Amino acid sequence: MATVFEPPRTSLADALRWARLAGGGHYGIWSWLTTVDHKRIGILYGVTAFLFFLTGGVEALILRLQLATPDGNIVNADQYNRILTMHGATMVFLVIMPLSSAFFNLMIPLMIGARDVAFPRLNAFSYWLFLGGGLFMYASFFTRDVFSGELGAPDCGWTCYSTLSSKAFSPGHGVDFWAFGLQILGVASIAAGLNFIVTILNMRAPGMTLFRMPLFVWMTLVTSFLLIFAMPVIAVGLFQPIFDRLFDANFFNPDKGRNPLLWQHMFWLFGHPEVYILILPAMGIVSEILPTFSRKPLFGYPFVVFSGIAIGFMSWGVWVHHMYTTGLGTVANSAFGISTILIGVPTGVKVLNWMATMWGGSLSLKAPMMFAIGFVAMFTIGGLSGVTHSVVPSDYQQQDTYYVVAHFHYVLFGGSIFALFAGFYYWLPKFTGKLLNDTIGQVHFWLMLIGFNLTFFPMHMSGLLGMPRRISTYSEGQGWDIWNLMSTIGAFTIAASVLLFIINVIYSMRRGQKAGNDPWDGRTLEWTIPSPPPHYNFAQIPTVHARDPFWHEKYTEDETGRPLPVVAGAANGHEEGDGEHGGHDIHMPSPSYFPLIAALGFPIMATGFLYDYALVAVGATVLFVGIYGWAMEPATEEEGHA
């Protein structure tokens, strides 16, 4: 049994010394700028992505106000297109992906019994790149379109189809900011993906074989492989409109015999694996929460693992179902219609396994469990509407209507966002030491569930009635009025639920109940250490003897399969050790400014390509200095954690 080590706090000097070590050797903001601790980087990812979530939410509310009634005039058509584009790009690239990365950073080392990720500085570098790429994209709001004089955010939709993204139709720098921002975000994603692959494959605790890994670790591994294969596809694709716009190349110029459809192939060859990059981490989160609150092992663990792997492989063979109406022909449409049906099979396997896990369990309907169940229900609805897109004649009618918008949001909001909130309620106490208020959490869940369905279910109706997506206004008498009004009311209901979550976090941080080491009677290794975890996570690296290792230390089973405590009171976690190690032999990575410096080089270079090529040289120099300093500095702290 692993020893839990609580750092000594016998004097003010000891407490201050511990704070310095936990903060990466510095105090205050400097400790956050230099940190390479996976837990702090996870918090940075989470807070930054949540701020982008609020920003994208405000953009969505503006869109819904515009469409609440016919002939809306909250914004004009140009402003609507820019806000719509940034809303989509924000939610996909700056919210769901980095929130998943926040959980990767926070949980993966703890769940596999490691003290940090394999490459801590690369981890910090990926965060600063994410922040730089996001801010660079939003800097486009502070430029001006040379023709209209409107704020210069991109106006070509979040997919920026050619030829809408060409200089003829988007003459300002908005699309350039979007394309370079995504390139920077892509580098961040590849760095993070490589880091987590190496961490999971090489740094698991003794005895933790691949099929003893928690499901969240498995889904992180599959997602990381998808990242390192999918992001280069969009990187290559993005170079083409960049060269067309900046250097008058002709990748998509139909006047020069080129085919603008090439961009759609490039984007969706990346984009459909991207959908599963967004949803697989959510599936992993739910696969951890449902067994804990059902007090049962996950039903069919190998099937859930292999279905996740199958989804990763099959996601590369369905991209054309976004392009049925582009004239590819019946053979291509039929082939991709079949592949779209088939990818629903492993997804259905997961849903059935989650339901079987809950069936007959001793369910505890706390807030994390409610959000996890909400995920299963809403994602299933989104999956069923997605299967209708595999029927080519049906998809011809649904293409570019609000039916598609409804489906997309049922998968990515009803799926990913619900699961991410489940993860917040489940794991946040491990890092704050305080439980979120469950009563407020329950109200948050029901308010969000009602608001979500009130927002997006009517979009199925308006879409089937022929309402096109991305229109900024509509005339009275087309049958869309009531559905749009319902969606707008639902959007503000969602906003109220998010506000309630923020209040819950603030209230619980100040007055919340102490979480303890194991507030949920958990199954995995993160619940064996103090809340919040020490800087080094584990005083002694644990040895794993079974799947759900902590559960098996606490419980055995009777003849009916019901859990029986091994030792009375053992469900509170491992007993604390006496601190005999004192952390003297634990050397953690030293803090570093160089990942931040290296990351700064990318937005400087991107700015140079748009305004002054001299800045390209400046950015390259900053990048070189950062990487050189990073390579030359010591890898770990010289002293132990006493």
Side-chain angles (χ1 to χ4, degrees):
M1 184 178 293
T3 301
V4 173
F5 171 67
E6 182 72 21
R9 294 186 177 91
T10 56
S11 67
L12 178 61
D14 288 333
L16 290 174
R17 177 172 174 75
W18 176 251
R20 178 179 67 81
L21 291 169
H26 299 84
Y27 293 110
I29 189 173
W30 301 112
S31 68
W32 292 94
L33 294 175
T34 63
T35 187
V36 295
D37 178 9
H38 73 94
K39 297 178 289 296
R40 284 194 157 205
I41 293 170
I43 292 169
L44 287 170
Y45 261 114
V47 171
T48 306
F50 193 79
L51 291 174
F52 279 123
F53 176 60
L54 297 180
T55 304
V58 170
E59 292 164 345
L61 294 179
I62 296 172
L63 302 179
R64 287 313 321 164
L65 279 174
Q66 171 72 7
L67 296 173
T69 57
D71 302 312
N73 59 2
I74 302 298
V75 293
N76 62 37
D78 186 78
Q79 294 166 339
Y80 183 92
N81 285 337
R82 298 179 193 279
I83 295 170
L84 176 70
T85 300
M86 289 304 293
H87 166 72
T90 298
M91 290 302 190
V92 171
F93 299 109
L94 302 179
V95 176
I96 301 178
M97 286 181 71
L99 281 179
S100 298
S101 292
F103 283 109
F104 296 169
N105 274 283
L106 290 170
M107 300 313 307
I108 293 303
L110 301 186
M111 297 182 90
I112 66 174
R115 293 200 170 106
D116 210 313
V117 295
F119 307 113
R121 288 173 178 78
L122 187 65
N123 202 23
F125 176 68
S126 70
Y127 167 73
W128 294 116
L129 276 179
F130 153 63
L131 178 62
L135 293 178
F136 188 83
M137 287 177 67
Y138 266 87
S140 63
F141 273 110
F142 301 97
T143 66
R144 291 281 178 181
D145 190 292
V146 293
F147 289 161
S148 69
E150 297 287 351
L151 292 178
D155 59 353
C156 50
W158 77 276
T159 59
C160 270
Y161 281 173
S162 182
T163 59
L164 288 175
S165 61
S166 67
K167 290 180 71 174
F169 294 97
S170 296
H173 275 312
V175 175
D176 302 320
F177 276 91
W178 174 85
F180 277 110
L182 285 190
Q183 292 284 39
I184 296 170
L185 293 171
V187 177
S189 296
I190 292 171
L194 289 169
N195 203 349
F196 285 110
I197 289 171
V198 176
T199 300
I200 293 168
L201 294 182
N202 287 349
M203 298 184 67
R204 302 189 306 278
M208 182 173 281
T209 62
L210 288 176
F211 281 89
R212 288 178 179 171
M213 293 196 311
L215 248 299
F216 181 70
V217 179
W218 261 112
M219 295 304 101
T220 301
L221 183 62
V222 175
T223 301
S224 298
F225 274 109
L226 286 177
L227 280 170
I228 64 172
F229 288 116
M231 298 315 296
V233 176
I234 193 63
V236 172
L238 285 168
F239 275 119
Q240 295 172 343
I242 287 173
F243 271 70
D244 274 8
R245 292 176 59 84
L246 298 184
F247 307 115
D248 295 321
N250 291 302
F251 287 105
F252 304 124
N253 187 350
D255 294 334
K256 302 294 184 180
R258 302 299 185 257
N259 189 352
L261 201 62
L262 174 62
W263 167 254
Q264 288 194 40
H265 282 290
M266 296 292 289
F267 185 87
W268 289 117
L269 183 58
F270 148 80
H272 211 83
E274 167 70 7
V275 170
Y276 292 102
I277 288 169
L278 301 175
I279 201 65
L280 283 171
M283 293 177 170
I285 291 171
V286 168
S287 297
E288 298 300 327
I289 293 173
L290 293 178
T292 297
F293 290 93
S294 300
R295 292 180 65 79
K296 285 177 58 184
L298 181 69
F299 183 88
Y301 171 95
F303 289 94
V304 181
V305 169
F306 282 114
S307 65
I309 297 171
I311 287 171
F313 275 107
M314 296 173 71
S315 67
W316 294 96
V318 293
W319 82 89
V320 169
H321 70 215
H322 297 271
M323 302 171 59
Y324 286 149
T325 59
T326 59
L328 297 179
T330 56
V331 173
N333 286 354
S334 299
F336 283 91
I338 293 170
S339 67
T340 302
I341 294 173
L342 291 177
I343 200 170
V345 174
T347 305
V349 168
K350 284 181 177 289
V351 172
L352 292 173
N353 278 271
W354 293 326
M355 294 172 67
T357 300
M358 292 184 281
W359 186 268
S362 178
L363 301 185
S364 175
L365 297 179
K366 299 289 188 181
M369 183 64 161
M370 297 300 289
F371 275 97
I373 295 173
F375 161 87
V376 176
M378 297 303 100
F379 179 73
T380 300
I381 295 173
L384 291 174
S385 68
V387 171
T388 66
H389 295 306
S390 66
V391 183
V392 179
S394 174
D395 186 80
Y396 263 74
Q397 304 303 314
Q398 300 156 7
Q399 182 75 22
D400 281 334
T401 70
Y402 260 78
Y403 188 94
V404 177
V405 178
H407 158 70
F408 193 63
H409 283 84
Y410 263 87
V411 171
L412 292 185
F413 195 116
S416 295
I417 297 296
F418 269 76
L420 290 166
F421 274 114
F424 281 133
Y425 279 98
Y426 185 56
W427 278 313
L428 206 58
K430 173 53 60 179
F431 298 94
T432 64
K434 299 288 186 69
L435 289 168
L436 292 172
N437 184 281
D438 195 67
T439 301
I440 301 176
Q442 297 277 352
V443 177
H444 169 207
F445 166 74
W446 286 110
L447 202 58
M448 178 168 280
L449 184 71
I450 293 168
F452 169 77
N453 283 285
L454 188 58
T455 301
F456 298 110
F457 196 82
M459 292 183 184
H460 292 99
M461 304 299 110
S462 57
L464 291 174
L465 289 171
M467 181 175 176
R469 66 197 301 189
R470 298 176 182 168
I471 59 170
S472 61
T473 188
Y474 55 95
S475 302
E476 197 172 358
Q478 300 190 76
W480 307 338
D481 308 25
I482 184 62
W483 305 116
N484 278 290
L485 180 60
M486 290 171 64
S487 292
T488 299
I489 295 171
F492 279 87
T493 306
I494 294 173
S497 73
V498 174
L499 178 62
L500 200 59
F501 172 73
I502 296 170
I503 293 171
N504 195 356
V505 171
I506 295 172
Y507 171 82
S508 299
M509 289 289 288
R510 294 182 175 182
R511 300 185 181 182
Q513 177 186 348
K514 287 187 177 181
N517 296 357
D518 184 23
W520 309 121
D521 195 12
R523 312 179 72 88
T524 43
L525 292 176
E526 71 268 26
W527 305 113
T528 67
I529 60 176
S531 304
H535 182 43
Y536 48 81
N537 298 343
F538 297 90
Q540 295 178 353
I541 299 299
T543 299
V544 174
H545 300 286
R547 194 182 303 152
D548 296 334
F550 192 31
W551 180 263
H552 287 286
E553 289 184 12
K554 296 184 292 184
Y555 296 101
T556 185
E557 295 180 350
D558 63 16
E559 61 276 6
T560 66
R562 297 289 180 181
L564 294 174
V566 174
V567 179
N572 290 324
H574 294 178
E575 296 182 8
E576 290 188 10
D578 58 8
E580 59 182 340
H581 284 267
H584 288 289
D585 56 347
I586 299 175
H587 294 271
M588 297 300 295
S590 56
S592 176
Y593 289 104
F594 289 112
L596 171 58
I597 293 172
L600 281 174
F602 282 86
I604 294 173
M605 284 191 290
T607 304
F609 277 111
L610 301 184
Y611 292 106
D612 189 339
Y613 288 123
L615 285 175
V616 177
V618 173
T621 302
V622 171
L623 175 62
F624 175 79
V625 169
I627 292 176
Y628 182 80
W630 174 353
M632 299 303 293
E633 67 181 346
T636 60
E637 294 168 343
E638 294 296 327
E639 54 186 339
H641 292 186

